[in-house]
Coordinates of all heavy atoms in Angstrom, one line a residue:
M1 N -2.6 -10.3 -17.1 CA -2.0 -9.1 -17.7 C -2.8 -8.7 -19.0 O -2.7 -7.6 -19.4 CB -0.6 -9.4 -18.1 CG 0.4 -9.4 -16.9 SD 0.2 -8.1 -15.7 CE 0.6 -6.7 -16.6
Q2 N -3.7 -9.6 -19.5 CA -4.5 -9.3 -20.6 C -5.5 -8.2 -20.2 O -5.8 -7.3 -21.1 CB -5.3 -10.5 -21.1 CG -4.5 -11.6 -21.7 CD -5.3 -12.8 -22.1 OE1 -6.4 -13.0 -21.6 NE2 -4.6 -13.7 -22.8
A3 N -5.9 -8.1 -19.0 CA -6.8 -7.0 -18.5 C -6.1 -5.7 -18.5 O -6.8 -4.7 -18.5 CB -7.3 -7.4 -17.1
A4 N -4.8 -5.6 -18.6 CA -4.1 -4.4 -18.6 C -4.5 -3.5 -19.8 O -4.3 -2.3 -19.7 CB -2.6 -4.6 -18.5
A5 N -4.9 -4.1 -20.8 CA -5.3 -3.4 -22.0 C -6.6 -2.5 -21.7 O -6.8 -1.5 -22.4 CB -5.7 -4.4 -23.2
W6 N -7.4 -2.9 -20.7 CA -8.6 -2.2 -20.4 C -8.5 -1.4 -19.1 O -9.4 -0.6 -18.8 CB -9.8 -3.1 -20.4 CG -10.0 -3.7 -21.7 CD1 -10.6 -3.1 -22.8 CD2 -9.6 -5.0 -22.2 NE1 -10.6 -4.0 -23.9 CE2 -10.0 -5.2 -23.5 CE3 -9.0 -6.1 -21.6 CZ2 -9.8 -6.3 -24.2 CZ3 -8.8 -7.2 -22.3 CH2 -9.2 -7.3 -23.6
L7 N -7.6 -1.7 -18.3 CA -7.5 -1.2 -16.9 C -6.3 -0.3 -16.8 O -5.2 -0.5 -17.4 CB -7.3 -2.3 -15.9 CG -8.5 -3.3 -15.8 CD1 -8.1 -4.4 -14.9 CD2 -9.8 -2.6 -15.4
D8 N -6.4 0.8 -16.0 CA -5.3 1.7 -15.7 C -4.5 1.1 -14.5 O -5.0 1.1 -13.4 CB -5.8 3.1 -15.4 CG -4.7 4.0 -14.9 OD1 -3.5 3.7 -15.1 OD2 -5.0 5.1 -14.4
L9 N -3.3 0.5 -14.7 CA -2.6 -0.1 -13.7 C -1.4 0.8 -13.2 O -0.5 0.3 -12.5 CB -2.0 -1.4 -14.2 CG -3.0 -2.5 -14.6 CD1 -2.3 -3.7 -15.2 CD2 -3.9 -2.8 -13.5
S10 N -1.5 2.1 -13.5 CA -0.4 3.0 -13.1 C -0.3 3.2 -11.6 O 0.8 3.6 -11.1 CB -0.6 4.4 -13.8 OG -1.8 5.0 -13.3
N11 N -1.3 2.8 -10.9 CA -1.3 3.0 -9.4 C -1.3 1.6 -8.7 O -1.6 1.5 -7.5 CB -2.5 3.8 -8.9 CG -2.3 4.3 -7.5 OD1 -1.2 4.9 -7.2 ND2 -3.2 4.1 -6.6
S12 N -1.0 0.6 -9.5 CA -1.0 -0.8 -8.9 C 0.1 -1.0 -7.9 O 1.1 -0.3 -7.9 CB -1.0 -1.8 -10.0 OG 0.2 -1.7 -10.7
E13 N 0.0 -2.0 -7.1 CA 1.0 -2.4 -6.1 C 1.4 -3.8 -6.4 O 0.6 -4.7 -6.8 CB 0.4 -2.4 -4.7 CG -0.2 -1.0 -4.3 CD -1.1 -1.1 -3.1 OE1 -1.3 -2.2 -2.6 OE2 -1.5 -0.1 -2.6
S14 N 2.7 -4.1 -6.2 CA 3.2 -5.5 -6.4 C 2.9 -6.3 -5.2 O 2.6 -5.8 -4.1 CB 4.7 -5.4 -6.6 OG 5.4 -5.1 -5.4
P15 N 2.9 -7.6 -5.3 CA 2.7 -8.5 -4.1 C 3.8 -8.2 -3.1 O 3.5 -8.3 -1.9 CB 2.8 -9.9 -4.7 CG 2.4 -9.8 -6.1 CD 2.9 -8.4 -6.5
E16 N 5.0 -7.9 -3.5 CA 6.1 -7.6 -2.6 C 5.8 -6.3 -1.8 O 6.2 -6.2 -0.6 CB 7.4 -7.4 -3.3 CG 7.9 -8.7 -4.0 CD 7.4 -9.0 -5.3 OE1 6.5 -8.3 -5.8 OE2 7.9 -9.9 -6.0
F17 N 5.0 -5.4 -2.3 CA 4.7 -4.2 -1.6 C 3.8 -4.5 -0.4 O 4.0 -4.0 0.7 CB 3.9 -3.3 -2.5 CG 3.5 -1.9 -1.9 CD1 4.5 -1.0 -1.8 CD2 2.2 -1.6 -1.6 CE1 4.2 0.3 -1.2 CE2 1.9 -0.4 -1.0 CZ 2.9 0.6 -0.9
I18 N 2.9 -5.5 -0.5 CA 2.1 -5.9 0.6 C 3.0 -6.5 1.7 O 2.9 -6.3 2.9 CB 1.0 -6.8 0.2 CG1 0.1 -6.1 -0.8 CG2 0.2 -7.3 1.4 CD1 -0.5 -4.8 -0.4
G19 N 4.0 -7.3 1.2 CA 4.9 -7.9 2.1 C 5.8 -6.9 2.9 O 6.0 -7.0 4.1
L20 N 6.2 -5.8 2.2 CA 6.9 -4.8 2.8 C 6.0 -4.1 3.9 O 6.5 -3.7 4.9 CB 7.4 -3.7 1.8 CG 8.5 -4.2 0.8 CD1 8.6 -3.2 -0.3 CD2 9.8 -4.4 1.6
T21 N 4.8 -4.0 3.6 CA 3.8 -3.4 4.6 C 3.7 -4.2 5.8 O 3.8 -3.7 6.9 CB 2.4 -3.2 3.9 OG1 2.6 -2.4 2.7 CG2 1.5 -2.5 4.8
V22 N 3.6 -5.5 5.6 CA 3.5 -6.4 6.7 C 4.8 -6.4 7.6 O 4.7 -6.4 8.8 CB 3.2 -7.9 6.2 CG1 3.3 -8.9 7.4 CG2 1.8 -7.9 5.6
A23 N 5.9 -6.4 6.9 CA 7.2 -6.3 7.6 C 7.3 -5.0 8.4 O 7.8 -5.0 9.5 CB 8.3 -6.5 6.6
A24 N 6.9 -3.9 7.8 CA 7.0 -2.6 8.5 C 6.1 -2.7 9.8 O 6.5 -2.2 10.9 CB 6.5 -1.5 7.6
L25 N 4.9 -3.2 9.7 CA 4.0 -3.4 10.8 C 4.6 -4.3 11.9 O 4.6 -4.0 13.1 CB 2.6 -3.9 10.4 CG 1.8 -2.9 9.6 CD1 0.6 -3.6 9.0 CD2 1.3 -1.7 10.6
A26 N 5.2 -5.4 11.4 CA 5.8 -6.3 12.4 C 7.0 -5.7 13.1 O 7.3 -6.1 14.3 CB 6.2 -7.6 11.6
A27 N 7.7 -4.8 12.5 CA 8.9 -4.2 13.1 C 8.5 -3.0 14.0 O 9.4 -2.5 14.7 CB 9.9 -3.8 12.0
D28 N 7.3 -2.6 14.0 CA 6.9 -1.4 14.7 C 6.6 -1.8 16.2 O 5.6 -2.5 16.4 CB 5.6 -0.8 14.1 CG 5.1 0.5 14.7 OD1 5.7 0.9 15.8 OD2 4.2 1.1 14.2
P29 N 7.3 -1.3 17.1 CA 7.1 -1.6 18.5 C 5.8 -1.0 19.0 O 5.3 -1.5 20.0 CB 8.3 -1.0 19.3 CG 8.8 0.0 18.3 CD 8.5 -0.4 16.9
N30 N 5.2 -0.1 18.3 CA 3.9 0.5 18.7 C 2.8 0.1 17.7 O 1.9 0.9 17.5 CB 4.1 2.1 18.7 CG 3.0 2.8 19.4 OD1 2.3 2.2 20.3 ND2 2.8 4.0 19.1
V31 N 2.9 -1.1 17.2 CA 1.9 -1.5 16.2 C 0.5 -1.6 16.7 O -0.5 -1.4 16.0 CB 2.4 -2.9 15.6 CG1 2.2 -4.0 16.6 CG2 1.6 -3.2 14.3
M32 N 0.3 -1.7 18.0 CA -1.0 -1.9 18.6 C -1.9 -0.6 18.4 O -3.1 -0.7 18.5 CB -1.0 -2.2 20.0 CG -0.4 -3.6 20.3 SD -1.3 -4.9 19.4 CE -2.8 -5.0 20.4
R33 N -1.3 0.5 18.0 CA -2.0 1.7 17.7 C -2.9 1.5 16.5 O -3.9 2.3 16.3 CB -1.1 2.9 17.6 CG -0.2 2.8 16.4 CD 0.9 3.9 16.4 NE 2.0 3.5 15.6 CZ 2.2 4.1 14.4 NH1 1.3 5.0 13.9 NH2 3.2 3.7 13.6
H34 N -2.6 0.5 15.7 CA -3.4 0.3 14.5 C -4.6 -0.7 14.7 O -5.5 -0.9 13.9 CB -2.6 -0.3 13.4 CG -1.5 0.6 12.9 ND1 -1.7 1.7 12.3 CD2 -0.1 0.4 13.1 CE1 -0.5 2.3 12.0 NE2 0.5 1.5 12.5
T35 N -4.7 -1.2 16.0 CA -5.7 -2.2 16.3 C -7.1 -1.6 16.1 O -7.4 -0.5 16.5 CB -5.5 -2.7 17.8 OG1 -4.3 -3.3 17.9 CG2 -6.6 -3.7 18.1
G36 N -8.0 -2.4 15.5 CA -9.4 -1.9 15.3 C -9.6 -1.0 14.2 O -10.7 -0.4 14.0
T37 N -8.6 -0.7 13.3 CA -8.7 0.2 12.2 C -8.5 -0.5 10.9 O -7.8 -1.5 10.8 CB -7.7 1.4 12.3 OG1 -6.4 0.9 12.2 CG2 -7.8 2.1 13.6
V38 N -9.0 0.1 9.8 CA -8.7 -0.4 8.5 C -7.5 0.4 8.0 O -7.6 1.7 8.0 CB -9.9 -0.2 7.6 CG1 -9.6 -0.6 6.1 CG2 -11.1 -1.0 8.1
R39 N -6.5 -0.2 7.6 CA -5.3 0.5 7.1 C -5.1 0.2 5.6 O -5.3 -0.9 5.2 CB -4.1 0.0 7.9 CG -4.2 0.3 9.4 CD -4.5 1.7 9.8 NE -3.7 2.7 9.0 CZ -3.0 3.6 9.6 NH1 -3.0 3.8 10.9 NH2 -2.3 4.4 8.8
I40 N -4.7 1.2 4.9 CA -4.4 1.1 3.4 C -2.9 1.0 3.3 O -2.1 1.8 3.8 CB -4.9 2.4 2.7 CG1 -6.4 2.7 3.0 CG2 -4.6 2.3 1.2 CD1 -7.3 1.6 2.6
A41 N -2.5 -0.1 2.5 CA -1.0 -0.3 2.4 C -0.3 0.9 1.9 O 0.8 1.2 2.4 CB -0.8 -1.5 1.5
A42 N -0.8 1.6 0.9 CA -0.1 2.8 0.3 C 0.0 3.9 1.4 O 1.0 4.6 1.4 CB -0.8 3.3 -0.9
A43 N -1.0 4.0 2.2 CA -0.9 5.0 3.3 C 0.2 4.6 4.3 O 0.9 5.5 4.8 CB -2.2 5.2 3.9
L44 N 0.2 3.4 4.6 CA 1.2 2.9 5.6 C 2.6 3.0 5.0 O 3.6 3.3 5.7 CB 1.0 1.4 6.0 CG -0.2 1.2 6.9 CD1 -0.6 -0.3 7.0 CD2 0.0 1.8 8.2
A45 N 2.8 2.9 3.7 CA 4.1 3.1 3.1 C 4.6 4.5 3.2 O 5.7 4.7 3.5 CB 4.0 2.7 1.6
I46 N 3.6 5.4 3.2 CA 4.0 6.8 3.4 C 4.4 7.0 4.8 O 5.4 7.6 5.2 CB 2.8 7.8 3.0 CG1 2.6 7.7 1.5 CG2 3.1 9.2 3.5 CD1 1.3 8.4 1.0
E47 N 3.6 6.5 5.7 CA 3.9 6.6 7.2 C 5.2 6.0 7.6 O 6.0 6.6 8.3 CB 2.8 5.9 8.0 CG 2.9 6.0 9.5 CD 1.7 5.4 10.2 OE1 0.6 5.3 9.6 OE2 1.9 5.0 11.3
Y48 N 5.5 4.8 7.0 CA 6.7 4.1 7.4 C 7.9 4.4 6.5 O 9.0 4.0 6.7 CB 6.5 2.6 7.4 CG 5.7 2.1 8.6 CD1 4.3 1.7 8.4 CD2 6.2 2.1 9.9 CE1 3.6 1.3 9.5 CE2 5.5 1.7 11.0 CZ 4.2 1.3 10.8 OH 3.4 0.9 11.9
G49 N 7.7 5.1 5.4 CA 8.8 5.6 4.5 C 9.4 4.6 3.6 O 10.6 4.5 3.4
F50 N 8.6 3.7 2.9 CA 9.1 2.8 2.0 C 8.3 2.9 0.6 O 7.2 3.5 0.6 CB 9.1 1.4 2.5 CG 7.8 0.8 2.7 CD1 7.1 0.1 1.8 CD2 7.2 0.9 4.0 CE1 5.8 -0.4 2.0 CE2 5.9 0.3 4.3 CZ 5.3 -0.3 3.3
T51 N 8.9 2.4 -0.4 CA 8.3 2.4 -1.7 C 8.2 1.0 -2.3 O 8.7 0.1 -1.7 CB 9.1 3.2 -2.8 OG1 10.4 2.6 -2.9 CG2 9.3 4.7 -2.3
D52 N 7.5 0.8 -3.4 CA 7.4 -0.5 -4.0 C 8.7 -0.9 -4.6 O 9.6 -0.1 -4.7 CB 6.3 -0.4 -5.1 CG 5.6 -1.8 -5.3 OD1 6.2 -2.8 -4.9 OD2 4.5 -1.8 -5.9
I53 N 8.8 -2.1 -5.0 CA 10.1 -2.6 -5.5 C 10.6 -1.9 -6.7 O 11.8 -2.0 -7.0 CB 10.1 -4.2 -5.7 CG1 9.0 -4.5 -6.7 CG2 9.9 -4.9 -4.4 CD1 9.0 -6.0 -7.2
D54 N 9.7 -1.3 -7.5 CA 10.1 -0.5 -8.6 C 10.4 1.0 -8.3 O 10.6 1.8 -9.2 CB 9.0 -0.6 -9.7 CG 7.7 -0.1 -9.3 OD1 7.5 0.4 -8.2 OD2 6.7 -0.2 -10.1
G55 N 10.3 1.3 -7.0 CA 10.6 2.7 -6.6 C 9.4 3.6 -6.6 O 9.5 4.7 -6.2
K56 N 8.3 3.1 -7.1 CA 7.1 3.9 -7.1 C 6.4 4.0 -5.8 O 6.5 3.1 -4.9 CB 6.1 3.4 -8.2 CG 6.6 3.5 -9.6 CD 5.6 3.0 -10.5 CE 6.1 3.1 -12.0 NZ 5.1 2.5 -12.9
S57 N 5.6 5.0 -5.5 CA 4.8 5.2 -4.3 C 3.4 5.2 -4.7 O 2.9 6.3 -5.2 CB 5.2 6.5 -3.6 OG 6.5 6.5 -3.2
P58 N 2.7 4.1 -4.6 CA 1.3 4.1 -5.0 C 0.5 5.1 -4.2 O 0.8 5.3 -3.0 CB 0.8 2.6 -4.7 CG 2.1 1.8 -4.7 CD 3.2 2.8 -4.2
R59 N -0.5 5.7 -4.8 CA -1.3 6.7 -4.2 C -2.4 5.9 -3.3 O -3.0 5.0 -3.8 CB -2.0 7.5 -5.2 CG -3.0 8.6 -4.7 CD -3.4 9.5 -5.9 NE -3.8 8.7 -7.1 CZ -5.0 8.3 -7.4 NH1 -6.0 8.5 -6.6 NH2 -5.2 7.6 -8.5
P60 N -2.5 6.3 -2.1 CA -3.6 5.6 -1.2 C -5.0 5.9 -1.8 O -5.3 7.1 -2.0 CB -3.4 6.3 0.1 CG -2.0 6.9 0.1 CD -1.8 7.2 -1.3
L61 N -5.7 4.9 -2.0 CA -7.1 5.1 -2.6 C -8.1 4.8 -1.4 O -8.0 3.9 -0.7 CB -7.3 4.1 -3.7 CG -6.5 4.3 -4.9 CD1 -6.8 3.2 -6.0 CD2 -6.6 5.7 -5.5
T62 N -9.1 5.7 -1.4 CA -10.2 5.5 -0.5 C -11.5 5.8 -1.2 O -11.4 6.2 -2.4 CB -10.1 6.5 0.7 OG1 -10.2 7.8 0.2 CG2 -8.8 6.4 1.5
L63 N -12.6 5.5 -0.7 CA -13.9 5.7 -1.4 C -14.0 7.2 -1.7 O -14.6 7.6 -2.7 CB -15.0 5.3 -0.5 CG -15.2 3.8 -0.3 CD1 -16.3 3.5 0.6 CD2 -15.4 3.1 -1.7
A64 N -13.4 8.1 -0.9 CA -13.5 9.5 -1.2 C -12.8 10.0 -2.4 O -13.1 11.0 -2.9 CB -13.1 10.3 0.1
N65 N -11.7 9.2 -2.8 CA -10.9 9.8 -3.9 C -10.8 8.8 -5.1 O -9.8 9.0 -5.9 CB -9.5 10.2 -3.4 CG -8.7 9.0 -2.9 OD1 -9.1 7.9 -3.0 ND2 -7.6 9.3 -2.3
V66 N -11.6 7.8 -5.2 CA -11.6 7.0 -6.4 C -12.5 7.4 -7.5 O -13.4 8.1 -7.4 CB -11.8 5.5 -6.1 CG1 -10.6 4.9 -5.5 CG2 -13.0 5.3 -5.3

């Protein structure tokens, strides 16, 4: 957390957020459609309709928008 003084953590994700993403994928009967692709947890959260444990929706980051 000392690095927070120098870093913008406003778009950060909790470890639980990644767990929610894994759980959403595991519950998806059509999960194989993601095979062979790189998926961003924040984009999957939008697709599956969940937020982080603090209620925030992290913005999906890609090379095109960082």
